[in-house]
């Protein structure tokens, strides 16, 4: 029997897909990359904001066409949409045969067997761990869906920050760290598979260890990961400014294999907005953290995200945010219009912002950030950067990859010419000759 997968959403969700892929293969099923050949398709969904929910539903409906017009036998929906809406999915999307919540991914083989051997036509299958979501098994063997030289390492599940706009705690439960020994063993296994870039992820990696060890232990974990492996690049995604400790800054500064790159979602700078969003800390704290990071690690690359159009955001709040972005000159920034999500405190807040105003504010801030990115990239012309080669484009006759300043999927690329073919996963040096939007172009440095 052939099983197809559609994986949507963030890297954390992608890791869940990789665990399910392993369990399906271990059960003897064949994985097919072609949806049209599948007997069962598993759609692992995101449901963080409205656009993610729409994308999930569109993908399910696309797969449903195969059920009507080809030989597809069953559709299984997993992930955040399944966890958030449960059996309601059966009512709104009757083509779906099974739903599995985020704490039930290890039931995937059981679900496949149920939907393909069901005795009563039209019966539905569901697996949820609502009651014990905070104690479900984390981690597990997986099949890498990233290029063999790059992998994500999810060090925790859930979130305790309780931001007013966010449904993640309701979907994924409380913050639970994975034990260091499990993470070190997984990193060693990934290294044995050829991984050269390890991307550390969780909803908030800076909280790591507080629940298990009674302290923030991310810096200690990073030391142990680099002591136990020879993985060249370790990248940090999703840190929170109120938990950036001096120990973590020192580890980033002094450990040559921890990339001088940090993803620090700030969401806003106005104290009025930070309080309304239930963010931890105020604008002064954010500015001090940024100053300390840049003072201690002058070459640090900072990525961030902002939410515009949150309920009650005034023109003054937005102008303060714009001035902050101009002054800080972030290396990378994403901007999102506030998405009104049920079962979050902000859903019922007064002074909801008009959708067009949200869009206008997002467009303005993104234009501003693009200009900043172009300026920062132009400063790299004539300089040499370290690059991990990803592949070769035979049409354009150039190699491409990412610098240490660029995370997989979300940041820019480095395109470069070389006299010989460079193997994917190789580290090279590239001299930058020109820039186009977010991308760099240059030549391989051979000496």
């Amino acid at each position: 029997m052939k099983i197809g997968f559609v994986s949507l959403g963030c890297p954390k969700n992608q890791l869940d897909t990789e665990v399910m892929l392993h369990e399906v293969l271990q059960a003897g099923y064949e994985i097919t990359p072609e949806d049209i050949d599948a007997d069962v398709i598993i759609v692992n969904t995101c449901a963080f904001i409205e656009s993610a929910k729409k994308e999930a539903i569109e993908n399910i409906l696309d797969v449903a066409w195969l059920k009507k017009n080809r030989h597809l036998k069953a559709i299984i929906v997993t992930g955040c949409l399944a966890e958030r809406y449960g059996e309601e999915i059966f009512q709104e999307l009757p083509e779906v045969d099974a739903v599995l919540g985020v704490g039930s991914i290890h039931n995937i083989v059981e679900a496949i067997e149920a939907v393909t051997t069901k005795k009563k036509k039209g019966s539905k299958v569901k697996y949820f761990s609502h009651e014990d979501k905070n104690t479900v098994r984390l981690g597990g063997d997986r099949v890498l869906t990233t290029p063999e030289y790059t992998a994500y390492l999810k060090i925790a599940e859930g979130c305790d920050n309780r931001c007013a706009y966010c449904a993640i705690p309701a979907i994924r439960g409380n913050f639970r760290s994975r034990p260091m020994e499990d993470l070190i063993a997984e990193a060693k296994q990934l290294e044995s598979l050829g991984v050269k870039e390890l991307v550390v992820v969780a909803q908030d990696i800076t909280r790591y260890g507080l629940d298990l060890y009674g302290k923030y232990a991310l810096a200690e974990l990073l030391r142990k990961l680099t002591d136990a492996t020879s993985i060249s690049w370790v990248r940090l995604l999703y840190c929170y400014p109120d938990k950036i400790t001096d120990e973590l800054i020192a580890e980033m500064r002094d450990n040559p294999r921890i990339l001088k790159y940090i993803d620090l979602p700030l969401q806003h700078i106005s104290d009025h907005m930070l309080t309304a969003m239930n963010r931890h800390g105020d604008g002064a704290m954010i500015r001090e953290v940024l100053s300390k990071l840049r003072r201690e690690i002058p070459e640090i690359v900072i990525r961030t995200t902002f939410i515009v159009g949150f309920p009650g955001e005034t023109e003054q709040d937005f102008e303060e945010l714009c001035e902050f972005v101009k002054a800080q000159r972030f290396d990378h920034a994403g901007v999102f219009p506030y998405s009104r999500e049920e079962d979050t405190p902000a859903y019922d807040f007064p002074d909801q912002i008009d959708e067009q105003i949200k869009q206008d504010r997002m467009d303005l801030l993104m234009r501003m950030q693009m200009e900043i990115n172009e300026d920062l990239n132009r400063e790299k012309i004539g300089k040499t950067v370290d690059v991990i080669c990803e592949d070769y484009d035979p049409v354009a006759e150039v190699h491409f990859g990412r610098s240490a300043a660029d995370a997989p999927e979300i940041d820019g690329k480095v395109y470069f010419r070389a006299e010989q073919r460079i193997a994917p996963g190789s580290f090279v040096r590239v001299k930058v000759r020109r820039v186009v939007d977010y991308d760099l172009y240059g030549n391989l440095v051979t000496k």
Side-chain angles (χ1 to χ4, degrees), residues 278-340:
N278 197 36
R279 298 287 291 178
H280 299 177
D282 57 11
M285 180 273 291
I286 290 173
R287 289 183 171 91
E288 173 56 29
V289 167
L290 292 171
S291 295
K292 184 181 291 187
L293 283 167
R294 287 173 167 146
R295 183 172 62 250
E296 296 294 327
I297 315 172
E299 69 272 39
I300 194 164
V301 172
I302 301 177
R303 158 172 276 283
T304 190
T305 52
F306 298 108
I307 295 173
V308 294
F310 189 79
E313 184 187 51
T314 64
E315 286 293 338
Q316 182 178 353
D317 293 324
F318 180 65
E319 288 174 8
E320 183 178 355
L321 178 58
C322 289
E323 291 303 315
F324 173 70
V325 170
K326 284 181 185 177
Q328 291 292 331
R329 291 171 61 81
F330 293 103
D331 299 274
H332 308 286
V335 183
F336 300 92
Y338 165 69
S339 179
R340 190 181 184 191

Side-chain angles (χ1 to χ4, degrees), residues 186-300:
E186 185 171 339
K188 287 181 176 180
Q189 182 183 27
L190 292 170
E191 182 182 26
S192 72
L193 296 174
V195 168
K196 299 178 181 179
E197 178 186 30
L198 194 64
V199 185
V200 176
V201 295
Q203 197 65 31
D204 174 5
I205 66 171
T206 36
R207 185 181 285 270
Y208 176 78
L210 188 61
D211 53 324
L212 288 183
Y213 310 116
K215 62 178 182 178
Y216 295 142
L218 178 59
E220 180 183 350
L221 173 64
L222 295 176
R223 278 195 300 275
K224 290 186 175 180
L225 286 173
T226 52
D227 286 345
T229 72
S230 59
I231 293 173
S232 301
W233 282 5
V234 179
R235 189 182 298 276
L236 308 183
L237 294 190
Y238 317 130
C239 301
Y240 278 61
D242 60 300
K243 306 178 193 72
I244 301 293
T245 64
D246 291 343
E247 184 185 13
L248 177 58
I249 292 175
E251 189 65 28
M252 292 182 67
R253 180 193 63 214
D254 301 334
N255 189 329
R257 286 159 50 211
I258 307 299
L259 294 181
K260 302 341 183 215
Y261 176 107
I262 190 168
D263 189 312
L264 196 67
L266 299 177
Q267 312 307 7
H268 220 285
I269 192 60
S270 159
D271 287 345
H272 170 221
M273 284 290 93
L274 292 170
T275 299
M277 291 177 174
N278 197 36
R279 298 287 291 178
H280 299 177
D282 57 11
M285 180 273 291
I286 290 173
R287 289 183 171 91
E288 173 56 29
V289 167
L290 292 171
S291 295
K292 184 181 291 187
L293 283 167
R294 287 173 167 146
R295 183 172 62 250
E296 296 294 327
I297 315 172
E299 69 272 39
I300 194 164

Side-chain angles (χ1 to χ4, degrees), residues 8-38:
L8 307 171
C10 68
K12 300 181 290 296
N13 214 42
Q14 183 178 351
L15 285 161
D16 289 345
T17 296
E18 293 179 347
V19 170
M20 289 189 286
L21 277 165
H22 180 269
E23 298 201 358
V24 167
L25 284 172
Q26 289 296 107
Y29 293 106
E30 178 183 349
I31 304 297
T32 177
E34 302 296 335
D35 290 351
I36 199 168
D37 296 330

Side-chain angles (χ1 to χ4, degrees), residues 19 37 48 105 110 125 216 287 317 356 362 444:
V19 170
D37 296 330
F48 178 48
I105 61 172
E110 187 179 349
V125 177
Y216 295 142
R287 289 183 171 91
D317 293 324
Q356 188 58 54
M362 183 190 78
L444 180 71

Side-chain angles (χ1 to χ4, degrees), residues 82-95:
E83 180 69 38
R84 192 168 183 184
Y85 295 103
E87 294 185 54
E88 186 180 339
I89 291 175
F90 293 139
Q91 300 168 13
E92 300 297 327
L93 299 165
E95 301 89 348

